[in-house]
Amino acid sequence: MVETSKQFYINIEDKPYWNPTKPYDQQSRDAKQFMVEEAKKLKKGLNINGVKIHPWLYWHVNFWNMMVDKKVEGNPLPISVPEVAHLRDNEWLLQQSLIRSEELNKGIIGFGARRLGKELADYEPVITPKGEIPIGEIKVGDIAFGRDGKETIVTHVFPQGVKPIFRMYLLDGRYIDSGLDHQWTVITDKGERTYTTRELLGKKLSYNHKKSGKSYPFKLPECKPVQFPKKEFIIPPYLLGILLGDGKLGGGVPQFSSKDGEVNKYIQECLSDEYVISTDINSKKSIGYDCSFYIKYIGNDKYKKDPKGHNPISREIKRLGLDGDFSKKFIPDEYKYASVEQRMELLRGLLDSDGSVNSEGCIEFSVKNERLANDVSWLCRSLGIRCQQGYENLGWIEKEFPGGKVRNIYSEKWRVYIRTDLDVFKLERKRQRIKNRNRTSAVSIERIEYIGDHSATCIMVDNDDHLFLTKDFIVTHNSGFISSFTAFNATTIYGGE
């Protein structure tokens, strides 16, 4: 193996003694000649059995001490000890970048902390245009998204091996699993700072107050709306939101419930003149007022498009897998990964149907379907909107409907509490209640706990702030290069002989 070569300084036996207290001209002749040969290796590199060793890599393995985590039995926190560096994928990848940049006569810029790894557990996803991909499966050239919501290219992937993994819990219910040396850009009362998980573990993450409860000094920033590409849809996003919120999807004709003629107007506006909205006459008989409506297809060429003349929207509902049990509604992936405006229209449909806003501007989406609640939270976060989920189970209760009729219903709800001043409603009566929000868009770090050991990976992306989006659109830091590269330049360029 290259690392065990006798040409490496660390493997050379019977090295001439070099007195560290004396200058070069006062060393012995053998010592001076020996160090001159080492200096040549640091200047030109060397070749070991056909393998090129860059001058930096020779420096890194032979002369650079780094802090290495050593696991201690019974203690989840490893102890850091100084040790010479080893040849791993990280070092070889940096050497390749250095050699390539020199061949092209270009510079290379390295970013990073002195510690080597910025690692997420391999199962944690990275947000990509194709969906969520576990970071352990990410490859160089894959597209991720930055804090600004724009695409960024993965330029390096660094497997870190098995590491102690710590779970960071956020105040809104999200969590993310990472290693001790993973970096986080956090917002404090003094502005943005970058800390590792290890450093955050050593800080006080919450303070108790007699009157106001707890305060949390460290927060993660929210992302900007993620710019997925625009899609072509048969069912307009606003209409799909209405159908998911208050619609019946399993019949031959799409049906939705609404007390607002305004909703009918917006639905008709997003449909072509091949569709008409008609009233379900049975709804008035059973409830006491018109609240149920059909979307009928009246296109002249309906039988050309489908021999049975089926409603194109109904066909699309079936293709999307939404024609089953109403309690299992969900947002299809192709709508989740649509453009910003398309996703905003989808959210408006969901909130116009199953959303509410009180006089203080607090917005809530309430549904009997946990998966749909999770999807709405995902949708909000993809748009840079803060939200938090809750659950309520009241069992069987009596509910009075308009017209005075009372029914026994089973009350189980998942709620999504939404905090934004964006235009997330179309209905005027709801839009008027939205309040301006002046606070920084960030979420507090609640606590960090050790959860076990797992393989981890860090990646590098090519955007300016070195941030990318992971699970639930949590903003996290990418990997950096090694500080020994800086030390190598400082020593060999400015350090003389």
Side-chain angles (χ1 to χ4, degrees):
M1 293 179 64
V2 172
E3 193 172 359
T4 60
S5 170
K6 295 297 184 181
Q7 296 184 61
F8 273 12
Y9 174 84
I10 55 173
N11 298 328
I12 298 175
E13 298 178 359
D14 300 325
K15 292 187 278 286
Y17 175 70
W18 180 275
N19 190 333
T21 65
K22 293 183 178 182
Y24 173 80
D25 57 3
Q26 295 183 21
Q27 303 292 338
S28 69
R29 180 179 178 181
D30 289 344
K32 286 192 287 187
Q33 183 59 40
F34 178 80
M35 294 309 292
V36 165
E37 294 301 316
E38 288 300 305
K40 290 179 181 178
K41 297 177 186 177
L42 292 174
K43 184 176 182 180
K44 298 181 179 181
L46 69 158
N47 191 296
I48 301 177
N49 298 326
V51 178
K52 184 176 181 178
I53 304 297
H54 187 276
W56 164 79
L57 189 60
Y58 188 80
W59 154 274
H60 180 68
V61 173
N62 291 283
F63 298 100
W64 178 250
N65 279 339
M66 58 188 296
M67 299 304 292
V68 177
D69 291 335
K70 294 292 186 180
K71 194 72 181 292
V72 178
E73 187 175 354
N75 186 357
L77 285 173
I79 295 176
S80 295
V81 296
E83 189 174 289
V84 293
H86 296 282
L87 286 173
R88 304 179 303 173
D89 290 345
N90 303 42
E91 283 78 0
W92 287 116
L93 284 168
L94 179 53
Q95 168 171 281
Q96 291 171 12
S97 297
L98 290 170
I99 293 173
R100 186 165 61 252
S101 67
E102 290 170 359
E103 289 173 348
L104 296 174
N105 196 28
K106 292 184 177 181
I108 185 167
I109 300 175
F111 298 95
R114 290 186 62 195
R115 301 186 60 81
L116 181 62
K118 288 90 177 173
E119 62 268 339
L120 290 178
D122 276 352
Y123 49 79
E124 291 292 17
V126 175
I127 305 295
T128 79
K130 298 178 181 179
E132 298 183 359
I133 300 177
I135 194 169
E137 298 176 16
I138 287 288
K139 298 178 177 61
V140 172
D142 284 346
I143 303 297
F145 287 91
R147 173 185 177 179
D148 59 3
K150 297 179 181 179
E151 291 186 353
T152 181
I153 299 174
V154 176
T155 59
H156 295 80
V157 177
F158 302 119
Q160 295 295 300
V162 176
K163 295 274 189 169
I165 298 298
F166 290 75
R167 178 163 293 176
M168 176 185 288
Y169 293 89
L170 305 182
L171 200 58
D172 64 2
R174 289 179 287 175
Y175 63 85
I176 186 74
D177 299 341
S178 69
L180 282 167
D181 297 316
H182 190 76
Q183 289 186 328
W184 303 95
T185 293
V186 301
I187 297 174
T188 71
D189 57 1
K190 297 180 180 179
E192 288 194 357
R193 298 288 188 271
T194 298
Y195 295 111
T196 63
T197 306
R198 182 194 305 273
E199 289 170 329
L200 288 171
L201 277 167
K203 296 183 180 295
K204 193 171 180 62
L205 299 180
S206 64
Y207 293 89
N208 293 317
H209 302 283
K210 291 182 179 180
K211 294 183 178 180
S212 59
K214 286 187 175 182
S215 65
Y216 302 88
F218 301 99
K219 299 175 175 61
L220 296 186
E222 297 284 7
C223 67
K224 298 292 185 182
V226 179
Q227 298 178 22
F228 298 127
K230 185 177 180 179
K231 304 287 181 63
E232 294 294 330
F233 294 120
I234 292 175
I235 304 176
Y238 179 78
L239 173 56
L240 182 66
I242 293 290
L243 293 175
L244 290 174
D246 270 330
K248 183 178 180 182
L249 304 177
V253 181
Q255 187 176 356
F256 67 93
S257 299
S258 173
K259 294 185 291 184
D260 289 277
E262 196 179 350
V263 167
N264 296 25
K265 171 190 170 185
Y266 294 137
I267 290 176
Q268 191 65 67
E269 286 177 353
C270 68
L271 291 171
S272 69
D273 57 7
E274 294 181 320
Y275 296 89
V276 295
I277 297 173
S278 62
T279 304
D280 177 9
I281 60 174
N282 293 320
S283 65
K284 188 170 185 178
K285 293 179 181 179
S286 61
I287 299 179
Y289 65 100
D290 290 333
C291 70
S292 185
F293 303 90
Y294 293 107
I295 302 174
K296 292 186 177 180
Y297 179 63
I298 59 171
N300 292 329
D301 59 347
K302 61 186 293 184
Y303 289 101
K304 293 181 181 178
K305 293 181 179 179
D306 188 311
K308 296 183 180 180
H310 287 162
N311 192 313
I313 292 178
S314 296
R315 290 202 308 269
E316 184 68 359
I317 287 171
K318 185 174 182 178
R319 185 191 72 81
L320 293 169
L322 293 170
D323 58 334
D325 188 341
F326 77 94
S327 65
K328 297 180 180 178
K329 293 178 181 178
F330 62 93
I331 299 177
D333 280 352
E334 54 201 88
Y335 283 82
K336 291 167 71 174
Y337 291 90
S339 71
V340 172
E341 183 53 34
Q342 287 174 323
R343 299 199 314 277
M344 186 63 78
E345 280 289 283
L346 174 61
L347 181 60
R348 289 175 183 133
L350 288 158
L351 293 180
D352 278 355
S353 56
D354 262 350
S356 63
V357 53
N358 64 19
S359 59
E360 296 179 353
C362 298
I363 302 169
E364 180 183 311
F365 177 79
S366 178
V367 69
K368 297 180 179 180
N369 176 347
E370 183 179 12
R371 180 177 178 183
L372 184 56
N374 291 338
D375 283 349
V376 170
S377 295
W378 191 100
L379 182 66
C380 288
R381 288 162 179 159
S382 79
L383 292 165
I385 296 173
R386 289 182 60 186
C387 66
Q388 187 169 348
Q389 283 187 226
Y391 172 71
E392 178 185 71
N393 189 339
L394 300 178
W396 288 97
I397 62 171
E398 288 187 348
K399 180 177 179 179
E400 183 176 348
F401 289 85
K405 293 192 176 182
V406 178
R407 290 182 178 179
N408 285 326
I409 64 168
Y410 189 79
S411 179
E412 181 184 36
K413 292 183 178 181
W414 281 265
R415 303 181 187 275
V416 182
Y417 304 103
I418 299 169
R419 184 180 182 86
T420 185
D421 55 8
L422 296 177
D423 197 5
V424 293
F425 296 104
K426 279 185 179 287
L427 289 178
E428 188 62 28
R429 62 180 174 82
K430 294 183 177 181
R431 290 180 64 222
Q432 290 179 349
R433 290 190 165 193
I434 296 177
K435 305 294 184 183
N436 289 330
R437 303 286 181 184
N438 297 320
R439 294 186 179 181
T440 303
S441 184
V443 59
S444 299
I445 299 172
E446 183 181 24
R447 67 187 190 279
I448 301 173
E449 296 176 353
Y450 171 70
I451 61 169
D453 293 356
H454 199 279
S455 56
T457 297
C458 58
I459 64 175
M460 175 173 286
V461 296
D462 69 348
N463 57 17
D464 292 336
D465 60 9
H466 330 307
L467 300 174
F468 66 95
L469 303 181
T470 181
K471 179 175 65 183
D472 290 329
F473 299 91
I474 295 173
V475 177
T476 189
H477 221 281
N478 76 175
S479 177
F481 284 137
I482 308 166
S483 59
S484 70
F485 180 52
T486 303
F488 165 73
N489 283 330
T491 303
T492 57
I493 296 174
Y494 302 109
E497 298 288 340

